[in-house]
Amino acid sequence: MNLLLIFISAAVVNNYVLTYFLGLCPFVGVSKKIGPAVSMGLATTFVMTMTATVTWLIYHLILVPLKLEFLQIVSFILVIASLVQLVEMFVRKVSKPLYDALGIYLPLITTNCAILGLALFMVMKQYDFIEGIIFGFGAGAGFTLAIVIMAGIRTQLELADVPEPFKGAGITMITAGCLALAFMGFAGLI
Amino acid sequence: MKVLTFRKGIHPKEFKELTEHKPIEKLPTPKEVFIPLQQHIGSPAKAVVQKGEEVKAGQIIGESTGFISSYIHASINGKVKTIDTFLHPLGLSTQTVHITSSEEANPLVTDSDTKSWESLSKEDIISIIEKSGIVGLGGATFPTHVKLKPPKDKPIDTFILNGCECEPYLTADHRMMLDFTDKVVQGVLIITRTLGVKKAYIGIENNKPDAIEKMSKATSKIPEIEVVALKTKYPQGAEKMLIKAVLDRTVPAGGLPMDVGVVVNNVGTALAIYEAVVENKPLIERVVTVTGNGIKEPKNLLIPIGTKLKDVIDYCGGLTGDNIKVIMGGPMMGITIGSLEVPVIKGTSGILCLKDGKNFAETVYPCIGCGSCTRVCPMNLLPTKLARLSEKGMWEMANKMGILNCIECGSCAYVCPSHIPLVQHIKVGKFMVNQLKK
Amino acid sequence: MSSFKTSLAHEFTKGLWKENPVLRMLLGLCPTLAVTNSAVNGLSMGLAVIFTLTCSSTLISLIRNIVPKQVRIPTFIIVIATFVTVADRTLAAFFPTISKALGPYVPLIVVNCIILGRQEAFASKNPVHRAIIDALGMSIGFTLTLTILGMFRELLGAGSIFNLPIMPESFDTWLVMILPPGAFLALGLMIGIANWINSKLGIKS
Amino acid sequence: MDISSIFYAIITMGVLGFVFSAGLSIASKKLSVKEDPRITKIIDLLPGANCGACGYAGCAAMAEALVSGKAEPANCPVANSENLSKIAEILGLEVTEKERKVAVVLCQGDTNNQKKKAEYLGVQTCLAAHLVGGGPRACNWGCIGYGDCIRACPFDAIHMSENGLPVVDREKCTGCGKCVEACPRNIIELHPISRHVFVLCKNRDNPKLARSVCKTACISCGICERATGGKGFKVINNLAEVDYDLYTKEPVLPTDKCPTKCIVIVGNPGET
Amino acid sequence: MEGKKTNKLEEKILYLSPSPHVKSGESVPRIMWTVVITLMPATIMGVYFFGIRALWVILVSIATAVITEASIQLMRRKKITVYNGSAVITGLLLALCLPPSIPYYAVIIGTFFGIAVGKHAFGGLGYNIFNPALIGRAFLQASFPVKMTTWTPTLLQQKCVDAVTTATPLGLFKFEKVTTPYVDLLWGNVGGCIGETCAIAIIAGGIILLVLRYADWRIPLSYLGTVAILGGIFWLINPEQYPDPLFHLLAGGLMLGAFFMATDMVTSPSTPLGSWIFGIGAGTLLIIIRLFGGLPEGVMYSIILMNSVTPLINMFTRPKILGEKK
């Protein structure tokens, strides 16, 4: 039950994008179409789960015993950067269409705040190993949920008569605001 | 009798009472006719008469130029004045033979030539039909002889005569079934024989009980022909809907009726086939419903091909006002005509004149997503989505959503509370998608 | 020489408006939205970014020729992370309240797209003085945007600016403005206004 | 902080760094995908309008095609010659100077000249009007006047005149051909900028019909053909055409002789 | 653009227009005004129970909606279309789901937000993703949480009890486990938003809307059905903890939401299957929020959450084209 709550909390109640503002670059950049949005969401979920696993190990097995907690930013980011670059190379090799669809945002997963944020939050909340992984997975699922909903809305908005200055980022932000308003309904769920 | 139908569709007000009780009248021979060499789907015919040449009604003046093409005949006795471009009801001007009537009367080929058709071979019949320039008279104008020669890998087992006339206002087919019952039935027999099918259905909407009764009586002794009553619903007369209703077979998307072993023809076509095969009379005139509140005396007229709309309208007492919309065909799928100088062609099933043209400019609201169009689209498309995609130039997406399956029946635009010209947007989309495919 | 000066001036001013990282390039949105619930927080975050971006741009511009291509991004990030750690610790030591208010978003400067983006797009390709000017322009543009956004949200959400009460006592604060939805809405509005001004000025996006 | 923690920090980061960089460098070898560095350079040199005039999906696709030898720099009609030669340099090609093409609207049927046929109440775009009823103007060959070409132009080089006829800005026009594609009546064509004499009519109807719909329609009278002795103008299918191959540099222009004034000099001689 | 000139060829000017040339006579204003009329029973009952102040709230809201819409259209140099009634509906609906004691400035802020941001930022009528009235309400709920949850008793209740504030039936149950009699719920003599208390009046209007086919019957049916079934399941599990299904249906804004908000054509799916999914989804969310969330009421959130996935639903429930193989 506890794990379920952690998952729901990370996925909906404290949705990464809509309440912590993490992972906004890809959220804005890759939500124009459903297909890429789904792949981005899945890629991020994958990286997030992996990150949660690896950073938990590094933090608790290396940094804490050596009393090097102050190195967390540097070491986490190093781990994440390498991990993402590996994923990038892998995707590029395996699926060119996927690589093309994600475009420059794959390297930007590195700088996806959601991922480092995830690691930092995980440490802050003092989750144990399994909880950490669930937390990472839930956060990824929440990110995927938000970005796919957003992509659906934006596909529809492409046919809409949005006022010129609001086209693109403006209306995306406003839509995100409305979504955030809607997600407030989940408050108190846990 | 069980009443058959298809899913979805609409039921617009019929307005058939204007002409449905008026027997077919013959239009006096006009002073001049303009006969376009392109009156059918396919390549245009090639003129085989010269300027100044005397021609007789029924004489071939244009020869078929390909597999999908058709012959064109003079519709009156007279002299070829010019062969040049002239206005065409479908828009672009085309090569047209202009014939002025000669003084003498216009005796057409008469019933005295009647011959028995039973002795003719299949090939002979098809050849006569081809030489007589018969095309689908419901409006599609697809050359009929091609339809009667289906490819070997598409066996045909059923013929359906389309007597639905689901378009409001139009009564031409209805009157043909009443006034020429036996000829139509004989026409059906010729077609079934030529196709070599065992079963033929005559589908008639149940708003024409008199036609159902008369046709049933006429066919009661012919076992292979069955008259079926269909629910009065638009677009019941569209091929795919008709096949669905009568046989419960679904024509595959992008396919033709012959893919499910069916050939569909219109009442007018059957009549024309009878006249061509038995009476030796090529397609030089056709029954047209002239109707609407914009015309003084609505009538069902037998009109020589090539007669100018103006002459027809004058015969019917002229228009009733200034702001008139003149439509060739029915109100759902017909096209508006910008000039009364254009001629009646083989595909003209009706001339509809509607009053108060200014009121046609309805306020267009944005789509409010009410879903009415989706509920009525007989092809199960999403008309509003297709129209929006087309409007925004997203052709690829439109193609993916099946824009080419639209039969342009107009049901969606009929019900649209926002008055969006959905059909026009979709027509543009279809045109562009086809362009891009090339 | 004059062209040299104008180009430097251009490098500086482009960040303020034309290529404003937040409003025009949509970079660094996470802190923009997260910490602008008050003007002070926005400004502090901006200052932290000015420090980090300028320092890391300088360093990366200096070492740009000796870093192999494959490991450039990790290298950039480590450099950035180092300076961020410095900023984070400094804030925590001298301004504990602000540090607490900004929470994990200071460490998250590491992954702020503006900083990495500038390294990748500019500092790693340009000499030191240009890199510094560019970094200053960008980060000041960022700071200004954040401060204004913070002022707007604080005004409506708490009735004050820089903690000074502005609105009359009877003003009923719009709580939503300091909540997440308010952040999105205010930023969307600001982007819209910026685009509108630009279209009036004839600058194409 | 004591010495040992600094020591540990350095060791930890060093080990971590070593492990990951080793992993990465192995991976980069194993998983490397060869990408031509020239592509990015060429993308920078292409105009970036993604207009598609080259026949590819956009400038990036064009760059790939260029590198793979499927396209030539000259296929891009938009880029200036300086950039084209730079691209050619990157590719190691010789670039041939080509003459700039601009769009010409071959119709004068504005609302003053062309008769009005009917009230048109449908969708206000040329294509839609062309497909349904042909729009409000009488000529079936001429300009409909709803400005599809103007909306299609990515360079803001075509504008509607007061009387509803598109006018090309010959300086801004890059010859990308978007308007040519957009015009359902095909009255816009691309011509080398050095051409100035045009028959501004596409009406192939018989003279009587043509004259009845538009004041400035070509009525195929043949005066132009006779005036140039057949070397310059020819009437084919009811329409006079300029024979640019035979057209001499200094022609006796029959512009003043054309009874409907449909032969016109467009642009200024000498412009490039 | 075309000058009026007599054409020598034609004496009469004819009209060209795309087919079809006959229309059903339906129009957007007709639909919108019908919705307004069907909301009248609920409105009248609201004013009856909560007095003249409720009427003022409604009028202020409608006026703000109309003025906001008109000024935005003026600013965007678009045709002003307030007479088509869509802004009036937004104003009216928003007022009907506000507490009667809400300050007027909040009404203005909420309506302005709903129309300006919820509707016109997305392009105006037909393009909005979220129901403007509900987005306006959600904005108010987040801005003024206390004022939005302060309820006044009805005039009838005030005669019997001397209280300034009361609680809604849902709130009473959630926080105090007090049930309200069904008669009061049906009749509407309970605390709550202006237009949501009288179930009978809402159902009467809603039925008219369904009969006229101005609302898709699938949405209210599946929405209410899901709430009843899920609510029933939980009630069977633990009748102490969870209220019975009838209470779920009648209490709070569910009726108003199901008949008038969820069925908003613009923001609900346009395919039949989509309508079912929409209703079931909204019902499930409602039960989750009501039973497990921090708030007693979840109609508004359940609908706007489903609004947000409507584009996705539409996309994945495209009907199969006749004869299409998959």
Side-chain angles (χ1 to χ4, degrees):
Chain A
M1 202 63 199
N2 188 28
L3 292 180
L4 182 69
L5 283 183
I6 289 176
F7 179 81
I8 291 177
S9 159
V12 259
V13 183
N14 293 317
N15 186 284
Y16 254 58
V17 182
L18 299 173
T19 50
Y20 287 153
F21 314 103
L22 296 170
L24 276 173
C25 292
F27 180 69
V28 175
V30 200
S31 59
K32 286 196 189 97
K33 284 199 176 133
I34 301 272
V38 173
S39 0
M40 186 73 199
L42 295 180
T44 310
T45 311
F46 174 69
V47 175
M48 273 185 169
T49 319
M50 271 180 45
T51 309
T53 321
V54 177
T55 49
W56 192 93
L57 292 175
I58 288 189
Y59 186 79
H60 289 276
L61 300 185
I62 301 177
L63 298 185
V64 173
L66 295 173
K67 293 200 174 57
L68 290 172
E69 288 94 336
F70 65 90
L71 276 181
Q72 58 168 326
I73 301 176
V74 183
S75 51
F76 284 180
I77 202 69
L78 179 75
V79 171
I80 294 167
S82 320
L83 209 62
V84 173
Q85 207 152 37
L86 268 174
V87 173
E88 183 198 344
M89 287 181 211
F90 184 71
V91 169
R92 196 168 182 180
K93 183 81 181 176
V94 174
S95 160
K96 178 125 187 357
L98 187 62
Y99 182 75
D100 285 345
L102 298 184
I104 58 163
Y105 289 96
L106 247 182
L108 281 184
I109 286 190
T110 323
T111 53
N112 188 335
C113 347
I115 291 172
L116 181 63
L118 174 96
L120 294 174
F121 274 116
M122 190 180 69
V123 169
M124 221 161 77
K125 295 192 176 174
Q126 297 174 333
Y127 286 135
D128 67 27
F129 186 58
I130 302 293
E131 283 172 346
I133 293 175
I134 293 293
F135 179 68
F137 182 66
F143 178 82
T144 312
L145 181 70
I147 197 170
V148 171
I149 290 180
M150 197 61 184
I153 293 176
R154 286 183 77 178
T155 322
Q156 176 134 332
L157 285 178
E158 242 179 82
L159 302 172
D161 174 32
V162 176
E164 203 53 48
F166 285 101
K167 270 191 184 146
I171 195 65
T172 310
M173 281 299 135
I174 287 175
T175 313
C178 294
L179 267 181
L181 273 179
F183 270 66
M184 284 180 76
F186 291 119
L189 214 51
I190 45 156
Chain B
M1 195 178 277
K2 207 177 127 203
V3 179
L4 305 166
T5 193
F6 63 104
R7 274 192 70 230
K8 300 190 174 182
I10 54 172
H11 186 193
K13 201 165 178 303
E14 292 170 22
F15 296 104
K16 300 221 187 220
E17 64 284 355
L18 288 173
T19 49
E20 67 183 335
H21 300 301
K22 295 188 178 171
I24 296 168
E25 223 176 290
K26 198 167 158 59
L27 184 81
T29 310
K31 289 213 172 55
E32 51 176 2
V33 288
F34 293 84
I35 305 176
L37 290 170
Q38 171 94 66
Q39 298 187 36
H40 46 263
I41 289 183
S43 52
K46 191 178 96 219
V48 291
V49 285
Q50 303 294 318
K51 195 172 159 179
E53 203 177 314
E54 292 280 341
V55 290
K56 282 218 158 13
Q59 182 184 335
I60 291 176
I61 56 173
E63 257 178 11
S64 159
T65 55
F67 179 63
I68 299 184
S69 183
S70 185
Y71 285 84
I72 306 283
H73 304 78
S75 58
I76 57 171
N77 295 337
K79 197 171 167 185
V80 176
K81 200 175 171 198
T82 53
I83 303 173
D84 210 335
T85 52
F86 193 77
L87 299 175
H88 189 277
L90 297 178
L92 268 187
S93 33
T94 47
Q95 286 291 314
T96 301
V97 180
H98 178 189
I99 302 171
T100 46
S101 165
S102 50
E103 290 302 312
E104 61 194 273
N106 265 306
L108 281 184
V109 198
T110 56
D111 285 8
S112 59
D113 286 2
T114 309
K115 60 179 183 281
S116 129
W117 58 271
E118 276 88 354
S119 57
L120 293 170
S121 75
K122 232 164 130 173
E123 288 70 29
D124 286 344
I125 292 176
I126 289 179
S127 161
I128 291 172
I129 290 172
E130 182 178 6
K131 284 273 158 51
S132 303
I134 295 174
V135 298
L137 295 184
T141 66
F142 187 80
T144 304
H145 66 273
V146 183
K147 247 189 192 175
L148 297 182
K149 280 188 293 193
K152 288 230 167 58
D153 57 330
K154 310 264 181 197
I156 302 296
D157 56 26
T158 314
F159 169 71
I160 301 177
L161 185 77
N162 184 353
C164 299
E165 200 157 50
C166 55
E167 281 263 11
Y169 285 102
L170 300 190
T171 55
D173 290 354
H174 185 186
R175 285 316 306 182
M176 274 187 255
M177 286 189 283
L178 291 178
D179 296 356
F180 305 118
T181 318
D182 292 328
K183 291 185 181 185
V184 172
V185 172
Q186 286 298 308
V188 174
L189 278 178
I190 297 174
I191 298 171
T192 36
R193 159 85 185 280
T194 314
L195 285 170
V197 298
K198 292 258 155 52
K199 190 76 195 171
Y201 293 93
I202 300 177
I204 306 173
E205 279 190 353
N206 61 1
N207 60 350
K208 305 181 237 318
D210 46 352
I212 296 177
E213 197 195 324
K214 210 162 172 195
M215 294 296 282
S216 305
K217 214 174 257 172
T219 55
S220 57
K221 298 217 174 83
I222 310 170
E224 68 243 61
I225 302 182
E226 187 185 327
V227 175
V228 287
L230 302 169
K231 195 175 164 191
T232 308
K233 193 158 83 170
Y234 182 86
Q236 184 73 75
E239 280 180 340
K240 291 181 178 181
M241 310 308 114
L242 187 62
I243 293 170
K244 184 81 194 165
V246 175
L247 300 171
D248 196 24
R249 293 184 196 170
T250 309
V251 180
L256 292 169
M258 64 180 182
D259 291 331
V260 288
V262 183
V263 165
V264 180
N265 266 3
N266 180 268
V267 171
T269 317
L271 181 60
I273 287 174
Y274 171 82
E275 288 179 341
V277 175
V278 178
E279 296 176 1
N280 212 10
K281 178 183 146 193
L283 183 56
I284 58 171
E285 51 184 9
R286 68 156 296 152
V287 182
V288 178
T289 308
V290 187
T291 182
N293 57 9
I295 197 127
K296 290 230 171 77
E297 300 161 31
K299 287 178 195 308
N300 294 304
L301 287 178
L302 187 63
I303 301 175
I305 304 293
T307 310
K308 282 202 285 187
L309 246 52
K310 203 161 167 283
D311 297 339
V312 178
I313 287 171
D314 282 346
Y315 180 74
C316 294
L319 302 175
T320 53
D322 276 338
N323 297 316
I324 301 284
K325 179 149 89 167
V326 179
I327 298 152
M328 202 170 254
M332 295 301 294
M333 288 182 74
I335 50 164
T336 46
I337 299 296
S339 160
L340 296 182
E341 298 291 312
V342 299
V344 168
I345 58 169
K346 289 177 182 174
T348 309
S349 51
I351 298 169
L352 175 60
C353 308
L354 296 177
K355 248 202 265 192
D356 295 330
K358 277 190 183 133
N359 300 348
F360 300 132
E362 288 171 297
T363 321
V364 174
Y365 299 93
C367 170
I368 55 166
C370 65
S372 303
C373 50
T374 316
R375 279 199 288 276
V376 299
C377 179
M379 291 302 295
N380 270 345
L381 299 167
L382 303 175
T384 177
K385 186 92 184 174
L386 295 176
R388 275 199 203 178
L389 289 170
S390 163
E391 214 181 336
K392 297 270 170 181
M394 295 157 80
W395 319 119
E396 258 174 56
M397 193 65 196
N399 188 23
K400 254 191 225 159
M401 305 278 290
I403 195 167
L404 293 180
N405 288 289
C406 173
I407 57 170
E408 300 174 20
C409 67
S411 302
C412 49
Y414 172 84
V415 294
C416 180
S418 294
H419 311 146
I420 301 170
L422 293 164
V423 179
Q424 195 178 15
H425 283 308
I426 293 176
K427 273 184 184 169
V428 169
K430 281 172 78 173
F431 176 81
M432 288 307 293
V433 169
N434 279 324
Q435 285 270 303
L436 292 179
K437 276 197 172 167
K438 275 175 196 164
Chain C
M1 194 61 200
S2 67
S3 74
F4 177 71
K5 263 187 188 158
T6 45
S7 88
L8 275 191
H10 168 78
E11 299 301 356
F12 182 71
T13 50
K14 71 181 184 204
L16 298 186
W17 181 259
K18 252 188 168 168
E19 292 181 23
N20 183 298
V22 178
L23 299 179
R24 311 288 291 161
M25 303 179 38
L26 306 173
L27 296 173
L29 294 179
C30 319
T32 307
L33 291 166
V35 304
T36 49
N37 48 9
S38 77
V40 178
N41 290 350
L43 184 63
S44 327
M45 173 54 90
L47 293 175
V49 169
I50 293 181
F51 167 76
T52 319
L53 183 52
T54 317
C55 294
S56 51
S57 272
T58 315
L59 190 59
I60 281 166
S61 177
L62 284 171
I63 62 167
R64 69 183 188 276
N65 292 328
I66 53 170
V67 179
K69 204 187 162 200
Q70 289 90 344
V71 293
R72 71 183 191 288
I73 289 185
T75 317
F76 294 168
I77 292 177
I78 289 175
V79 170
I80 298 165
T82 313
F83 286 111
V84 170
T85 314
V86 172
D88 187 30
R89 297 276 136 170
T90 315
L91 266 178
F94 296 104
F95 307 97
T97 25
I98 290 176
S99 169
K100 211 164 183 193
L102 298 184
Y105 294 97
V106 174
L108 281 175
I109 295 178
V110 179
V111 283
N112 190 322
C113 318
I114 301 178
I115 297 183
L116 193 81
R118 288 334 285 171
Q119 312 311 345
E120 174 85 346
F122 202 91
S124 63
K125 294 176 186 161
N126 283 286
V128 179
H129 61 278
R130 289 172 67 90
I132 293 176
I133 293 290
D134 173 78
L136 277 176
M138 283 290 162
S139 50
I140 292 174
F142 179 76
T143 311
L144 283 178
T145 319
L146 254 66
T147 314
I148 294 169
L149 196 60
M151 280 159 66
F152 176 68
R153 287 179 63 191
E154 192 183 340
L155 180 67
L156 288 177
S160 61
I161 291 181
F162 285 108
N163 296 330
L164 297 171
I166 299 281
M167 289 295 198
E169 201 65 18
S170 58
F171 177 74
D172 202 355
T173 54
W174 304 14
L175 199 58
V176 70
M177 290 313 289
I178 51 175
L179 293 175
F184 284 112
L185 294 168
L187 183 63
L189 195 66
M190 223 168 139
I191 291 174
I193 292 171
N195 286 343
W196 182 73
I197 293 173
N198 275 324
S199 70
K200 291 281 157 194
L201 294 175
I203 302 170
K204 281 196 178 176
S205 53
Chain D
M1 191 180 287
D2 55 23
I3 302 291
S4 68
S5 97
I6 296 176
F7 179 71
Y8 282 133
I10 291 168
I11 295 283
T12 319
M13 290 315 295
V15 170
L16 276 178
F18 179 77
V19 168
F20 282 104
S21 52
L24 274 182
S25 53
I26 292 167
S28 76
K29 287 236 172 62
K30 293 256 171 192
L31 297 172
S32 72
V33 175
K34 228 179 92 189
E35 194 194 51
D36 203 318
R38 293 179 297 174
I39 290 179
T40 24
K41 281 188 195 159
I42 292 173
I43 291 176
D44 287 344
L45 288 167
L46 287 170
N50 290 327
C51 67
C54 50
Y56 293 92
C59 290
M62 172 70 170
E64 257 176 52
L66 281 169
V67 170
S68 59
K70 284 181 206 143
E72 282 178 29
N75 290 19
C76 177
V78 181
N80 59 32
S81 54
E82 191 190 332
N83 280 2
L84 284 184
S85 54
K86 272 188 198 161
I87 294 171
E89 214 172 280
I90 294 172
L91 295 170
L93 293 171
E94 285 290 314
V95 71
T96 42
E97 275 287 322
K98 77 184 165 86
E99 196 180 356
R100 192 159 81 89
K101 282 188 172 180
V102 290
V104 181
V105 180
L106 296 174
C107 178
Q108 298 187 90
D110 60 14
T111 46
N112 284 339
N113 294 334
Q114 211 185 132
K115 289 236 166 62
K116 183 175 169 172
K117 172 172 66 174
E119 294 284 353
Y120 169 76
L121 304 172
V123 179
Q124 308 273 306
T125 67
C126 302
L127 181 57
H130 175 71
L131 294 175
V132 175
R137 298 186 191 173
C139 180
N140 281 328
W141 305 83
C143 179
I144 298 171
Y146 288 131
D148 280 10
C149 48
I150 293 164
R151 281 186 289 275
C153 182
F155 302 98
D156 193 32
I158 188 161
H159 298 277
M160 192 60 86
S161 78
E162 251 173 54
N163 295 321
L165 192 72
V167 179
V168 177
D169 184 334
R170 283 169 75 89
E171 272 182 24
K172 278 192 190 168
C173 179
T174 60
C176 71
K178 283 266 160 183
C179 50
V180 178
E181 271 172 42
C183 180
R185 291 273 166 89
N186 298 323
I187 57 169
I188 306 183
E189 286 179 2
L190 291 182
H191 285 278
I193 191 138
S194 59
R195 286 182 189 172
H196 298 294
V197 180
F198 292 98
V199 177
L200 295 191
C201 185
K202 284 280 208 174
N203 192 320
R204 287 187 188 277
D205 281 342
N206 65 60
K208 199 181 144 205
L209 203 58
R211 198 202 282 273
S212 73
V213 295
C214 181
K215 279 187 212 161
T216 53
C218 171
I219 52 170
S220 53
C221 60
I223 291 177
C224 49
E225 191 176 334
R226 287 191 293 281
T228 53
K231 286 188 178 167
F233 292 93
K234 272 211 171 70
V235 177
I236 303 163
N237 275 344
N238 290 338
L239 182 63
E241 285 174 10
V242 191
D243 190 339
Y244 290 102
D245 290 337
L246 292 174
Y247 207 85
T248 47
K249 286 265 173 193
E250 295 289 329
V252 187
L253 293 173
T255 45
D256 48 345
K257 289 193 179 142
C258 177
T260 57
K261 303 273 177 284
C262 69
I263 300 175
V264 172
I265 295 184
V266 175
N268 306 308
E271 67 187 332
T272 48
Chain E
M1 199 190 294
E2 303 289 332
K4 277 259 174 194
K5 272 181 296 174
T6 2
N7 192 324
K8 276 176 199 160
L9 258 184
E10 297 292 337
E11 287 302 316
K12 291 183 163 106
I13 286 286
L14 298 176
Y15 285 81
L16 294 176
S17 65
S19 61
H21 308 286
V22 285
K23 298 281 169 70
S24 60
E26 267 326 329
S27 73
V28 169
R30 193 163 138 179
I31 295 177
M32 296 295 173
W33 288 112
T34 311
V35 176
V36 172
I37 290 166
T38 50
L39 275 170
M40 278 305 123
T43 313
I44 292 165
M45 291 313 283
V47 176
Y48 169 74
F49 282 123
F50 298 108
I52 202 76
R53 193 170 194 286
L55 183 63
W56 279 114
V57 169
I58 292 168
L59 292 179
V60 166
S61 178
I62 292 177
T64 315
V66 169
I67 293 169
T68 310
E69 174 145 316
S71 14
I72 288 175
Q73 285 171 338
L74 210 63
M75 262 168 59
R76 289 191 67 195
R77 298 196 183 88
K78 300 255 166 183
K79 225 171 102 188
I80 292 177
T81 56
V82 284
Y83 60 85
N84 71 21
S86 70
V88 175
I89 294 186
T90 304
L92 182 58
L93 272 181
L94 179 57
L96 291 184
C97 58
L98 290 176
S101 60
I102 186 93
Y104 295 123
Y105 65 84
V107 179
I108 294 174
I109 291 169
T111 319
F112 175 80
F113 184 83
I115 293 278
V117 178
K119 185 171 169 191
H120 283 278
F122 292 95
L125 177 62
Y127 298 121
N128 49 306
I129 300 291
F130 302 96
N131 185 325
L134 288 179
I135 274 293
R137 191 186 191 281
F139 187 79
L140 289 179
Q141 176 86 52
S143 286
F144 313 113
V146 178
K147 297 223 160 62
M148 286 295 286
T149 45
T150 307
W151 313 97
T152 44
T154 63
L155 297 178
L156 292 175
Q157 285 173 327
Q158 277 172 15
K159 276 179 195 158
C160 320
V161 198
D162 189 26
V164 188
T165 60
T166 179
T168 62
L170 281 171
L172 282 172
F173 189 89
K174 182 154 190 135
F175 303 118
E176 293 161 39
K177 294 280 172 284
V178 177
T179 46
T180 313
Y182 295 131
V183 183
D184 284 350
L185 291 174
L186 269 174
W187 171 233
N189 189 20
V190 291
C193 298
I194 294 173
E196 74 176 22
T197 58
C198 181
I200 293 178
I202 298 166
I203 294 172
I207 298 280
I208 297 174
L209 212 56
L210 295 186
V211 169
L212 290 175
R213 284 192 161 234
Y214 287 165
D216 192 342
W217 55 271
R218 296 174 187 89
I219 294 175
L221 181 67
S222 56
Y223 191 2
L224 298 176
T226 311
V227 170
I229 292 168
L230 282 182
I233 291 172
F234 281 106
W235 176 62
L236 289 175
I237 293 172
N238 185 352
E240 295 290 302
Q241 177 79 24
Y242 305 115
D244 63 89
L246 194 60
F247 180 80
H248 265 304
L249 293 181
L250 296 176
L254 181 57
M255 283 296 166
L256 189 66
F259 283 104
F260 290 96
M261 314 255 199
T263 55
D264 171 24
M265 291 168 170
V266 180
T267 54
S268 62
S270 53
T271 59
L273 179 60
S275 297
W276 289 113
I277 297 175
F278 185 92
I280 293 170
T284 316
L285 285 171
L286 177 76
I287 290 292
I288 291 175
I289 294 172
R290 272 192 185 175
L291 298 185
F292 306 108
L295 302 164
E297 176 61 302
V299 172
M300 169 180 84
Y301 290 117
S302 71
I303 296 176
I304 46 181
L305 282 167
M306 288 317 286
N307 285 163
S308 74
V309 292
T310 294
L312 290 173
I313 296 179
N314 272 334
M315 223 169 281
F316 292 109
T317 56
R318 178 171 73 84
K320 213 169 104 181
I321 298 166
L322 193 69
E324 184 185 27
K325 281 179 209 139
K326 277 213 170 145

